Amino acid sequence: MAQRPLPSPVVLAPRDVSVDVRALRRDLEARVDGEVRFDPGSRGAYSTDASNYRQVPLGVVIPRTVEAGVAAVAACRRHRAPVVSRGGGTSLAGQACNVAVVLDWSKHCRGVVSVDPAGRRCVVEPGIVLDELNAALRPHGLMFGPRPATHDRCTLGGMIGNNACGATAQAYGKTSDNVRRLEVLLADGTRLWVGPTGDAAYAAVLAEGGRPAELYAGLRALRDTYAEEIRRRYPDIPRRVSGYNLDDLLPERGFDVARLLVGSEGTLATVLHAELALVPVPAARAQVVLGYPDLPAAADAAAGITPYGPEQVEGIDAHAVRTDRTRRLHPQVLEALPRGEAWLLVVFTGDTQAEADAKVDALLADLTGHDGGGPSARRYDDPVEVRALAAVREDALGATSHPPGRPDAWAGWEDAAVPPARLGDYLRDLLALYAEFGFTDAAVYGHFGHGCVHSRVPFDLVTADGVDAFHRFVRRAAALVSAYGGSYSGEHGDGQARAELLPAMFGDEIVRAFEETKALFDPDGRMNPGKVVRPRPMTGDLRLGADWSPAMTETFFGFPDDDGRFDRAVGRCVGVGRCRHDDGGVMCPSYMVTREEEHSTRGRARLLFEMLGGHADSAITDGWRSAEVRDALDLCLACKGCKRDCPVEVDMATMKAEFLAQHYRRRLRPRAHYAMGWLPAVAQAAARAPRLVNAVSRSSLLHPALCAAGGIDPRRSIPVFAEQTFQAWYAGRPRPAVGPRGEVVLWPDTFTNHFAPHIGQAAVSVLEEAGYAVAVPTQPLCCGLTWVSTGQLGIARRVLRRTASALAPYLDRGARVVGLEPSCTAVFRSDGRELLPRDRSVRRLGERTVTLAELLRHHTGGWRPPAVGGAAVAQTHCHQHAVLGYDDDAALLREAGVELDVLDAGCCGLAGNFGFERGHYDVSMACAERVLFPAVRAAAPATRVLADGFSCRTQIEQGETGRVPVHLAEVLAQGLRSVM
């Protein structure tokens, strides 16, 4: 992003220290091998994490190497600037945001330095993602044991900072239990390895002298001073994460300075490398779900299950399950849950499947007894169902944040832990406290085997009374946890959310010991200030807050699922960062290839939030005219993957279209918006002389000029217009007889009509064979997709209304509309409702629109597809994935005998106009090269390549794969011809 003029020197809290930001930036740019970003867009994108808190940073540094990170800290020291290290940015207590220089390690510093399989150890850089590490370790049969729900985007540095745990900590312990040594950098530039320090090692450090000796001697003295108070005040439970790990300095714990630093949230030192202990990958797992009448009953039972040695004992309540059911997520597995209103998900491991299964058998035999009593139960052996159950639990934090039909819920009291044996009673008291404050919609789940409870609570964080009630509730809840001998944090840390409560948990002496520890490591208070020690108040720096007053604008989209409010649609993003994963699913293709925060769904949502203002220090100050927001959205492919893959259903494609409409209102647009946004009109004109148009577009002399005029990348081939449109072909056919199944309208979308009429012809033959009379509108009609994707929403509305009016007579007769192009079909099913939420004819059109597979499987009783056979690989169109679903297509093909491999390739990268626009080609092709192109190239010549989307087919054809993909309609029609 372009650099903008910087504000005047910033005064930082809690210390009144001014930083000359201009000089700091110049120094960083001169000395650091990395990306130095002080522009408003970068600062806005990093202004918050997954918590309720927001602090706009001074700037962002993305070091390319660990040594560059060291240089960045040195520059900050010279300018007396605070520093906060950041990994995946999924912290829930505000640890990863600060008025400081943010060091983002996650883009470049992702290396595995060494692996010692025999010693079961490895050394890693701080930015490596947990799943990436475990993939590298898999050939050795090893893994890192703790596995948070964010395993596909959390970094090891972040896990160390928060002392992360996850479900598998039941078997493998917290991160601190699995860290052997750390290489750390102190604020003063001292660099050293730390770990367990016996007497001989301690003596050697003292003999060496210098800053390490001073630090170790200070820590030994601090330990001796507070040893008895540490033993007395630290809760003896599996999940105590609050405070500094001073107990790891005790003689009986080996004076382990590495473990002390784990969970210190970057307030003491910067982690440069970590030596980790590894565990064998289990050969087999077995899973059972137990149903109970309520959550406390499930919690009562959890403590009795732990002696059986499970890997995981996870609890989940009916709120989370109802939310997923409402959103139609994982419907088959959720409908098959055992009877109950709360459930325990219990996982066992074994060296063989028989061993793991036997552990489940033993548990169930003891739980049910001879009288058949006990909880309801269901075993899950199908790997698909097992993954779906894991997703239900892992997505609970995001999914319960904006539950349909219920108040928004927030972090703030999501992480307490108590002795597991007392968990049931604690939950009874906690639920009573929720009821007292009116928080009956709070969702509760967590790691019940360890007594750790997560919760999303419907706090009111936008009024003074609501913020006051939030504060009062948290203090009452903290007192409840203390009464049970628990910890305010069981894995998410203290940050700003809980740090002010620590005196009530540990007492004044231990809090003083925390302050002395901070002074030993960071005497000037430059490392992530205001967190853990001398914290800023929990009701300060709120992302919302009573004084938040965002700009309100009349929008083109109705945002019917967000009370008609753009700010609420933007606020759906709570920062869990599911969009920042590197593999699997559709969301977020641009992040997968750039690893840029601004090019993730979360980063874009953050910038849109800043654009709306409402805070005195908003990073974006020019509203809808913002160049920073425009640039961040430029690489959004509008794939809609986030609408499906994001647990909070953030729909960035819709927000991008709204932004473009507002940004270019009464202004000239990019040339591509005219050339490709008006494609339906261009296609209608081209249909009059398609040979001439094709000759011009394929001319080596004219092609560059044509691309320049249309804002198209010259490396792209312009698709060939058909010599006869589908509508023209259909108009020349004999009038169809009335089919025994009635009439259907085959929608002549622009892409099928003008570029692939053979697909429409194939669909006609299939539909007529299935017993339908096929109607095809004869007049030029359009769904408005290209105008939507380019933000020309006024035109899109008019086009959509005209289409709904033209199709009304068919719908009046009871006909359904069959869509062949997924993106156009999705407009009728989704975008139309959002653009014109009060238009009954548009709503009815969406309700009566089906895909070809949906019609044949659900509305054509008794019809069976022809025997097709053979193998196929299928690329699911993004809008099909997000809005329509591909299950019916896959089932239909398998019924036809096709051996089908549905690729988990994500977006093809073309995404309508995106891949054609100048400046997008490299990202577009990188998206395809990630999975799609290699899979297509590797497919056997006899294997069909299936792609219903015009964009997907075009990308495959233009990607030098040597393959011509086909549509579902073509496959079925081919089967019919072979039968005849």
Side-chain angles (χ1 to χ4, degrees), residues 556-600:
F556 289 90
F557 282 103
F559 299 102
D561 296 325
D562 293 294
D563 301 329
R565 291 168 45 195
F566 183 77
D567 66 296
R568 194 170 185 271
V570 170
R572 277 181 174 270
C573 179
V574 292
V576 295
R578 180 77 177 273
C579 49
R580 280 177 50 96
H581 64 170
D582 293 337
D583 196 21
V586 174
M587 174 186 72
C588 177
S590 50
Y591 177 81
M592 288 185 193
V593 300
T594 68
R595 288 179 172 170
E596 289 279 359
E597 177 70 20
E598 294 95 323
H599 296 151
S600 68

Short mmCIF file of all heavy atoms in Angstrom, two decimals, residues 556-600:
data_model
loop_
_atom_site.label_atom_id
_atom_site.label_comp_id
_atom_site.label_asym_id
_atom_site.label_seq_id
_atom_site.Cartn_x
_atom_site.Cartn_y
_atom_site.Cartn_z
N PHE A 556 -26.64 0.13 -1.00
CA PHE A 556 -27.35 -0.50 -2.09
C PHE A 556 -27.88 -1.87 -1.66
O PHE A 556 -29.01 -2.22 -1.95
CB PHE A 556 -26.43 -0.66 -3.31
CG PHE A 556 -26.12 0.64 -3.99
CD1 PHE A 556 -25.02 1.41 -3.60
CD2 PHE A 556 -26.92 1.10 -5.03
CE1 PHE A 556 -24.73 2.60 -4.24
CE2 PHE A 556 -26.63 2.30 -5.68
CZ PHE A 556 -25.54 3.05 -5.27
N PHE A 557 -27.02 -2.64 -1.01
CA PHE A 557 -27.46 -3.93 -0.49
C PHE A 557 -28.30 -3.71 0.76
O PHE A 557 -28.07 -2.77 1.53
CB PHE A 557 -26.26 -4.82 -0.15
CG PHE A 557 -25.62 -5.48 -1.35
CD1 PHE A 557 -24.44 -4.99 -1.86
CD2 PHE A 557 -26.21 -6.58 -1.94
CE1 PHE A 557 -23.84 -5.58 -2.96
CE2 PHE A 557 -25.62 -7.19 -3.05
CZ PHE A 557 -24.43 -6.69 -3.56
N GLY A 558 -29.25 -4.60 0.98
CA GLY A 558 -30.13 -4.47 2.13
C GLY A 558 -29.59 -5.09 3.39
O GLY A 558 -30.09 -4.82 4.48
N PHE A 559 -28.57 -5.97 3.28
CA PHE A 559 -27.99 -6.68 4.42
C PHE A 559 -29.09 -7.19 5.35
O PHE A 559 -29.13 -6.87 6.54
CB PHE A 559 -27.00 -5.77 5.17
CG PHE A 559 -25.84 -5.33 4.32
CD1 PHE A 559 -25.80 -4.06 3.77
CD2 PHE A 559 -24.81 -6.20 4.04
CE1 PHE A 559 -24.74 -3.67 2.95
CE2 PHE A 559 -23.75 -5.82 3.22
CZ PHE A 559 -23.72 -4.55 2.68
N PRO A 560 -29.98 -8.02 4.83
CA PRO A 560 -31.13 -8.46 5.61
C PRO A 560 -30.76 -9.31 6.83
O PRO A 560 -31.53 -9.37 7.79
CB PRO A 560 -31.96 -9.27 4.60
CG PRO A 560 -30.98 -9.68 3.54
CD PRO A 560 -30.00 -8.56 3.45
N ASP A 561 -29.62 -9.97 6.79
CA ASP A 561 -29.21 -10.79 7.94
C ASP A 561 -28.47 -9.98 9.00
O ASP A 561 -28.06 -10.53 10.02
CB ASP A 561 -28.31 -11.94 7.47
CG ASP A 561 -29.05 -12.90 6.56
OD1 ASP A 561 -30.27 -13.11 6.79
OD2 ASP A 561 -28.44 -13.43 5.62
N ASP A 562 -28.30 -8.68 8.75
CA ASP A 562 -27.59 -7.81 9.68
C ASP A 562 -28.40 -6.57 10.00
O ASP A 562 -27.84 -5.47 10.16
CB ASP A 562 -26.22 -7.44 9.11
CG ASP A 562 -25.29 -8.64 9.01
OD1 ASP A 562 -24.92 -9.16 10.07
OD2 ASP A 562 -24.98 -9.07 7.89
N ASP A 563 -29.69 -6.74 10.09
CA ASP A 563 -30.60 -5.64 10.44
C ASP A 563 -30.48 -4.47 9.47
O ASP A 563 -30.71 -3.31 9.85
CB ASP A 563 -30.34 -5.15 11.87
CG ASP A 563 -30.53 -6.25 12.91
OD1 ASP A 563 -31.38 -7.13 12.67
OD2 ASP A 563 -29.84 -6.23 13.93
N GLY A 564 -30.07 -4.75 8.24
CA GLY A 564 -29.96 -3.71 7.23
C GLY A 564 -28.79 -2.77 7.43
O GLY A 564 -28.74 -1.70 6.82
N ARG A 565 -27.80 -3.18 8.24
CA ARG A 565 -26.70 -2.27 8.60
C ARG A 565 -25.37 -2.79 8.08
O ARG A 565 -24.95 -3.91 8.40
CB ARG A 565 -26.63 -2.12 10.12
CG ARG A 565 -27.81 -1.35 10.71
CD ARG A 565 -27.85 -1.49 12.22
NE ARG A 565 -26.53 -1.30 12.82
CZ ARG A 565 -26.26 -1.66 14.09
NH1 ARG A 565 -27.19 -2.21 14.84
NH2 ARG A 565 -25.05 -1.46 14.58
N PHE A 566 -24.69 -1.95 7.33
CA PHE A 566 -23.37 -2.31 6.82
C PHE A 566 -22.38 -2.47 7.97
O PHE A 566 -21.53 -3.37 7.94
CB PHE A 566 -22.89 -1.23 5.85
CG PHE A 566 -21.56 -1.52 5.21
CD1 PHE A 566 -21.46 -2.44 4.18
CD2 PHE A 566 -20.40 -0.89 5.65
CE1 PHE A 566 -20.24 -2.71 3.58
CE2 PHE A 566 -19.18 -1.15 5.06
CZ PHE A 566 -19.09 -2.07 4.03
N ASP A 567 -22.46 -1.60 8.98
CA ASP A 567 -21.51 -1.69 10.08
C ASP A 567 -21.66 -3.02 10.82
O ASP A 567 -20.67 -3.59 11.29
CB ASP A 567 -21.67 -0.52 11.05
CG ASP A 567 -23.00 -0.53 11.76
OD1 ASP A 567 -24.04 -0.40 11.09
OD2 ASP A 567 -23.02 -0.67 13.00
N ARG A 568 -22.88 -3.53 10.91
CA ARG A 568 -23.07 -4.82 11.58
C ARG A 568 -22.54 -5.96 10.71
O ARG A 568 -21.99 -6.94 11.23
CB ARG A 568 -24.54 -5.04 11.90
CG ARG A 568 -24.78 -6.18 12.88
CD ARG A 568 -26.22 -6.23 13.37
NE ARG A 568 -26.36 -7.24 14.39
CZ ARG A 568 -26.64 -8.52 14.13
NH1 ARG A 568 -26.80 -8.93 12.88
NH2 ARG A 568 -26.75 -9.40 15.12
N ALA A 569 -22.69 -5.84 9.40
CA ALA A 569 -22.14 -6.85 8.50
C ALA A 569 -20.62 -6.89 8.62
O ALA A 569 -20.01 -7.96 8.69
CB ALA A 569 -22.55 -6.56 7.06
N VAL A 570 -20.00 -5.72 8.66
CA VAL A 570 -18.55 -5.65 8.85
C VAL A 570 -18.17 -6.21 10.21
O VAL A 570 -17.17 -6.92 10.37
CB VAL A 570 -18.07 -4.18 8.72
CG1 VAL A 570 -16.62 -4.04 9.14
CG2 VAL A 570 -18.25 -3.70 7.29
N GLY A 571 -18.97 -5.90 11.23
CA GLY A 571 -18.68 -6.35 12.59
C GLY A 571 -18.84 -7.83 12.80
O GLY A 571 -18.49 -8.33 13.88
N ARG A 572 -19.35 -8.55 11.81
CA ARG A 572 -19.40 -10.00 11.93
C ARG A 572 -18.01 -10.59 12.18
O ARG A 572 -17.87 -11.59 12.87
CB ARG A 572 -19.96 -10.63 10.65
CG ARG A 572 -21.45 -10.64 10.56
CD ARG A 572 -21.93 -11.30 9.28
NE ARG A 572 -23.37 -11.42 9.30
CZ ARG A 572 -24.03 -12.48 9.78
NH1 ARG A 572 -23.34 -13.50 10.24
NH2 ARG A 572 -25.34 -12.52 9.77
N CYS A 573 -17.01 -9.99 11.57
CA CYS A 573 -15.65 -10.51 11.74
C CYS A 573 -15.20 -10.28 13.17
O CYS A 573 -15.04 -9.14 13.60
CB CYS A 573 -14.68 -9.84 10.77
SG CYS A 573 -12.99 -10.43 10.97
N VAL A 574 -14.99 -11.37 13.90
CA VAL A 574 -14.50 -11.26 15.27
C VAL A 574 -13.03 -11.65 15.37
O VAL A 574 -12.49 -11.76 16.48
CB VAL A 574 -15.35 -12.10 16.23
CG1 VAL A 574 -16.75 -11.53 16.35
CG2 VAL A 574 -15.40 -13.57 15.80
N GLY A 575 -12.38 -11.86 14.22
CA GLY A 575 -10.94 -12.03 14.22
C GLY A 575 -10.41 -13.41 14.44
O GLY A 575 -9.20 -13.58 14.67
N VAL A 576 -11.26 -14.46 14.37
CA VAL A 576 -10.75 -15.80 14.64
C VAL A 576 -9.77 -16.27 13.58
O VAL A 576 -9.02 -17.23 13.79
CB VAL A 576 -11.90 -16.82 14.79
CG1 VAL A 576 -12.75 -16.50 16.00
CG2 VAL A 576 -12.76 -16.87 13.54
N GLY A 577 -9.75 -15.62 12.42
CA GLY A 577 -8.68 -15.85 11.44
C GLY A 577 -8.79 -17.12 10.65
O GLY A 577 -7.79 -17.59 10.10
N ARG A 578 -9.97 -17.71 10.55
CA ARG A 578 -10.11 -18.92 9.73
C ARG A 578 -9.69 -18.65 8.28
O ARG A 578 -9.26 -19.56 7.57
CB ARG A 578 -11.56 -19.38 9.79
CG ARG A 578 -11.89 -20.62 8.99
CD ARG A 578 -11.41 -21.90 9.67
NE ARG A 578 -11.81 -23.06 8.91
CZ ARG A 578 -12.99 -23.68 9.04
NH1 ARG A 578 -13.87 -23.21 9.92
NH2 ARG A 578 -13.28 -24.74 8.33
N CYS A 579 -9.77 -17.41 7.85
CA CYS A 579 -9.40 -17.03 6.49
C CYS A 579 -7.89 -17.03 6.26
O CYS A 579 -7.44 -16.86 5.14
CB CYS A 579 -9.96 -15.64 6.17
SG CYS A 579 -9.61 -14.41 7.46
N ARG A 580 -7.11 -17.21 7.33
CA ARG A 580 -5.66 -17.13 7.20
C ARG A 580 -4.99 -18.50 7.07
O ARG A 580 -3.78 -18.62 7.20
CB ARG A 580 -5.07 -16.39 8.40
CG ARG A 580 -5.18 -14.88 8.32
CD ARG A 580 -4.64 -14.24 9.59
NE ARG A 580 -3.33 -14.73 9.97
CZ ARG A 580 -2.17 -14.13 9.67
NH1 ARG A 580 -2.18 -13.01 8.98
NH2 ARG A 580 -1.03 -14.65 10.07
N HIS A 581 -5.76 -19.53 6.78
CA HIS A 581 -5.13 -20.82 6.62
C HIS A 581 -4.50 -20.94 5.24
O HIS A 581 -4.83 -20.20 4.33
CB HIS A 581 -6.10 -21.96 6.90
CG HIS A 581 -7.26 -22.02 5.94
ND1 HIS A 581 -8.14 -23.07 5.89
CD2 HIS A 581 -7.69 -21.17 4.99
CE1 HIS A 581 -9.04 -22.85 4.97
NE2 HIS A 581 -8.79 -21.70 4.40
N ASP A 582 -3.60 -21.89 5.10
CA ASP A 582 -2.82 -22.00 3.87
C ASP A 582 -3.34 -23.06 2.91
O ASP A 582 -2.85 -23.17 1.79
CB ASP A 582 -1.36 -22.34 4.21
CG ASP A 582 -0.66 -21.21 4.93
OD1 ASP A 582 -1.11 -20.07 4.79
OD2 ASP A 582 0.32 -21.47 5.64
N ASP A 583 -4.30 -23.86 3.36
CA ASP A 583 -4.69 -24.98 2.52
C ASP A 583 -6.10 -25.41 2.89
O ASP A 583 -6.53 -25.25 4.03
CB ASP A 583 -3.73 -26.15 2.70
CG ASP A 583 -3.84 -27.17 1.59
OD1 ASP A 583 -4.34 -26.83 0.52
OD2 ASP A 583 -3.42 -28.33 1.81
N GLY A 584 -6.84 -25.96 1.91
CA GLY A 584 -8.16 -26.50 2.17
C GLY A 584 -9.25 -25.45 2.13
O GLY A 584 -9.06 -24.32 2.55
N GLY A 585 -10.41 -25.84 1.59
CA GLY A 585 -11.53 -24.91 1.50
C GLY A 585 -11.32 -23.88 0.41
O GLY A 585 -10.36 -23.93 -0.36
N VAL A 586 -12.23 -22.93 0.36
CA VAL A 586 -12.17 -21.88 -0.66
C VAL A 586 -11.60 -20.59 -0.09
O VAL A 586 -10.81 -19.91 -0.72
CB VAL A 586 -13.57 -21.64 -1.26
CG1 VAL A 586 -13.57 -20.46 -2.21
CG2 VAL A 586 -14.05 -22.90 -1.98
N MET A 587 -12.02 -20.22 1.10
CA MET A 587 -11.56 -18.97 1.73
C MET A 587 -10.13 -19.12 2.23
O MET A 587 -9.82 -20.14 2.85
CB MET A 587 -12.50 -18.67 2.90
CG MET A 587 -12.09 -17.48 3.75
SD MET A 587 -13.15 -17.29 5.21
CE MET A 587 -12.61 -18.66 6.21
N CYS A 588 -9.28 -18.16 2.06
CA CYS A 588 -9.38 -16.96 1.27
C CYS A 588 -8.26 -17.06 0.22
O CYS A 588 -7.09 -17.08 0.58
CB CYS A 588 -9.18 -15.73 2.17
SG CYS A 588 -9.18 -14.14 1.35
N PRO A 589 -8.61 -17.17 -1.08
CA PRO A 589 -7.61 -17.50 -2.09
C PRO A 589 -6.47 -16.50 -2.19
O PRO A 589 -5.31 -16.90 -2.40
CB PRO A 589 -8.41 -17.55 -3.40
CG PRO A 589 -9.69 -16.84 -3.10
CD PRO A 589 -9.96 -17.05 -1.65
N SER A 590 -6.75 -15.22 -2.04
CA SER A 590 -5.66 -14.24 -2.16
C SER A 590 -4.70 -14.36 -0.98
O SER A 590 -3.49 -14.21 -1.14
CB SER A 590 -6.22 -12.82 -2.27
OG SER A 590 -7.16 -12.56 -1.26
N TYR A 591 -5.22 -14.65 0.22
CA TYR A 591 -4.31 -14.84 1.35
C TYR A 591 -3.45 -16.07 1.15
O TYR A 591 -2.25 -16.08 1.48
CB TYR A 591 -5.06 -14.95 2.68
CG TYR A 591 -4.11 -15.22 3.82
CD1 TYR A 591 -3.39 -14.17 4.38
CD2 TYR A 591 -3.86 -16.51 4.26
CE1 TYR A 591 -2.45 -14.42 5.38
CE2 TYR A 591 -2.93 -16.76 5.25
CZ TYR A 591 -2.23 -15.71 5.81
OH TYR A 591 -1.29 -15.96 6.79
N MET A 592 -4.02 -17.13 0.60
CA MET A 592 -3.26 -18.37 0.43
C MET A 592 -2.02 -18.18 -0.43
O MET A 592 -1.02 -18.87 -0.23
CB MET A 592 -4.15 -19.46 -0.18
CG MET A 592 -5.21 -20.01 0.75
SD MET A 592 -6.11 -21.38 -0.03
CE MET A 592 -7.51 -21.56 1.06
N VAL A 593 -2.08 -17.24 -1.37
CA VAL A 593 -0.93 -17.06 -2.26
C VAL A 593 -0.07 -15.86 -1.89
O VAL A 593 1.08 -15.77 -2.33
CB VAL A 593 -1.36 -16.97 -3.73
CG1 VAL A 593 -2.08 -18.24 -4.15
CG2 VAL A 593 -2.23 -15.76 -4.00
N THR A 594 -0.60 -14.92 -1.09
CA THR A 594 0.20 -13.76 -0.71
C THR A 594 0.63 -13.77 0.74
O THR A 594 1.61 -13.14 1.10
CB THR A 594 -0.57 -12.45 -0.96
OG1 THR A 594 -1.68 -12.37 -0.04
CG2 THR A 594 -1.08 -12.36 -2.38
N ARG A 595 -0.15 -14.46 1.60
CA ARG A 595 0.09 -14.48 3.04
C ARG A 595 0.13 -13.06 3.63
O ARG A 595 0.89 -12.78 4.54
CB ARG A 595 1.36 -15.25 3.39
CG ARG A 595 1.21 -16.74 3.20
CD ARG A 595 2.47 -17.50 3.51
NE ARG A 595 2.25 -18.94 3.50
CZ ARG A 595 3.22 -19.84 3.55
NH1 ARG A 595 4.47 -19.45 3.60
NH2 ARG A 595 2.94 -21.12 3.54
N GLU A 596 -0.68 -12.21 3.07
CA GLU A 596 -0.78 -10.82 3.52
C GLU A 596 -2.02 -10.65 4.37
O GLU A 596 -3.13 -11.04 3.96
CB GLU A 596 -0.88 -9.88 2.31
CG GLU A 596 0.40 -9.73 1.52
CD GLU A 596 1.36 -8.75 2.17
OE1 GLU A 596 1.01 -8.18 3.21
OE2 GLU A 596 2.46 -8.57 1.61
N GLU A 597 -1.87 -10.05 5.55
CA GLU A 597 -3.02 -9.81 6.41
C GLU A 597 -4.09 -9.00 5.69
O GLU A 597 -5.28 -9.29 5.79
CB GLU A 597 -2.57 -9.07 7.68
CG GLU A 597 -3.70 -8.69 8.62
CD GLU A 597 -4.34 -9.88 9.33
OE1 GLU A 597 -3.70 -10.95 9.40
OE2 GLU A 597 -5.48 -9.75 9.81
N GLU A 598 -3.68 -7.98 4.93
CA GLU A 598 -4.66 -7.15 4.24
C GLU A 598 -5.41 -7.90 3.15
O GLU A 598 -6.45 -7.44 2.68
CB GLU A 598 -4.00 -5.93 3.60
CG GLU A 598 -3.43 -4.94 4.59
CD GLU A 598 -1.94 -5.18 4.84
OE1 GLU A 598 -1.51 -6.35 4.86
OE2 GLU A 598 -1.21 -4.20 5.00
N HIS A 599 -4.89 -9.05 2.74
CA HIS A 599 -5.53 -9.82 1.69
C HIS A 599 -6.25 -11.04 2.26
O HIS A 599 -6.58 -11.97 1.51
CB HIS A 599 -4.51 -10.23 0.63
CG HIS A 599 -3.93 -9.06 -0.09
ND1 HIS A 599 -2.67 -9.06 -0.63
CD2 HIS A 599 -4.44 -7.82 -0.33
CE1 HIS A 599 -2.42 -7.88 -1.18
NE2 HIS A 599 -3.49 -7.12 -1.00
N SER A 600 -6.48 -11.03 3.54
CA SER A 600 -7.35 -12.02 4.16
C SER A 600 -8.72 -11.39 4.36
O SER A 600 -8.87 -10.17 4.37
CB SER A 600 -6.79 -12.48 5.51
OG SER A 600 -6.85 -11.41 6.46
#
